[in-house]
Amino acid sequence: DVKVTQSSRYLVKRTGEKVFLECVQDMDHENMFWYRQDPGLGLRLIYFSYDVKMKEKGDIPEGYSVSREKKERFSLILESASTNQTSMYLCASHPLIRDTNEKLFFGSGTQLSVL
Amino acid sequence: AQSVTQLGSHVSVSEGALVLLRCNYSSSVPPYLFWYVQYPNQGLQLLLKYTSAATLVKGINGFEAEFKKSETSFHLTKPSAHMSDAAEYFCAVSDPGRGSQGNLIFGKGTKLSVKP
């Protein structure tokens, strides 16, 4: 069965800390995504990557960076966590195929609280 | 730019009643449309998708959606709600203009409650 694994289900950090959120997929997918989910706002794309070492900004990249050193792993980095980054973070992957009707595979999410 | 509007952030129905969750999209090209469901404490999973093969799309768990181009709508329905349908539902449209396959624009979500 296909799997997208996010390393932590819950995370509590302090303001100013550097935070790493890890995501691993076992499907050999080229594309990986980081979304942020907030009540009433739905899912908003932070960054995505379509290949190793390649990254593209999504709709809300400010305050975040990403790393993709290996195909299966896509990390989201909060350089200096702030309270407004308290949120649910969802990782997803997608195969690189011509037809864009293939579905996204999501991880279970990481609920990050920044105090 | 593509966009998705879900009407109603919360919908409450009685068990056995019809479920109707509304989604309207804007797209300059024929879209691919999706409905995802998120159960409590879980990630999103695909319910169904529209790919232009048929306007009435059947998904998992008895859900279906009808693509109506004239109304730019893709509403989700289920004839008879079950308690286990309580979840948050997201409509999404593909956005090939954003460079990478799989780039979706999501609606803000509709939380479905089912009363016994």
Side-chain angles (χ1 to χ4, degrees), chain A residues 46-108:
Chain A
I46 306 172
Y47 267 97
F48 65 96
S49 167
Y50 51 88
D51 201 354
V52 174
K53 297 192 186 293
M54 305 301 287
K55 60 186 179 183
E56 293 280 347
K57 292 180 180 179
D59 299 315
I60 51 164
E62 297 78 18
Y64 303 94
S65 62
V66 290
S67 171
R68 190 145 181 226
E69 297 296 318
K70 293 185 177 182
K71 191 176 185 180
E72 66 270 18
R73 186 180 296 270
F74 191 35
S75 302
L76 180 69
I77 303 158
L78 287 65
E79 296 289 342
S80 178
S82 63
T83 54
N84 63 13
Q85 293 179 308
T86 291
S87 186
M88 170 69 80
Y89 291 88
L90 291 168
C91 175
S93 73
H94 184 274
L96 180 65
I97 54 173
R98 179 181 296 274
D99 193 340
T100 58
N101 71 352
E102 188 55 54
K103 67 179 181 180
L104 283 170
F105 293 84
F106 281 88
S108 297

Side-chain angles (χ1 to χ4, degrees), chain A residues 9 37 59 97 100-101 104, chain B residues 32 36 38 51 98 101:
Chain A
R9 182 72 182 93
Q37 182 181 9
D59 299 315
I97 54 173
T100 58
N101 71 352
L104 283 170
Chain B
Y32 292 117
Y36 282 84
Q38 185 180 33
T51 62
R98 295 215 284 186
Q101 284 90 344

Side-chain angles (χ1 to χ4, degrees), chain B residues 48-116:
Chain B
L48 50 81
K49 60 186 179 185
Y50 166 73
T51 62
S52 77
T55 56
L56 184 62
V57 182
K58 293 189 185 299
I60 61 172
N61 301 336
F63 284 93
E64 61 183 37
E66 187 172 9
F67 173 70
K68 291 188 177 180
K69 187 178 179 181
S70 60
E71 298 177 9
T72 61
S73 69
F74 190 56
H75 301 332
L76 182 71
T77 60
K78 182 174 180 178
S80 176
H82 192 272
M83 296 297 290
S84 60
D85 295 326
E88 191 159 18
Y89 293 79
F90 293 91
C91 183
V93 63
S94 63
D95 188 359
R98 295 215 284 186
S100 176
Q101 284 90 344
N103 252 328
L104 299 182
I105 306 290
F106 284 88
K108 294 184 177 180
T110 298
K111 203 162 273 189
L112 175 67
S113 302
V114 182
K115 299 174 289 187

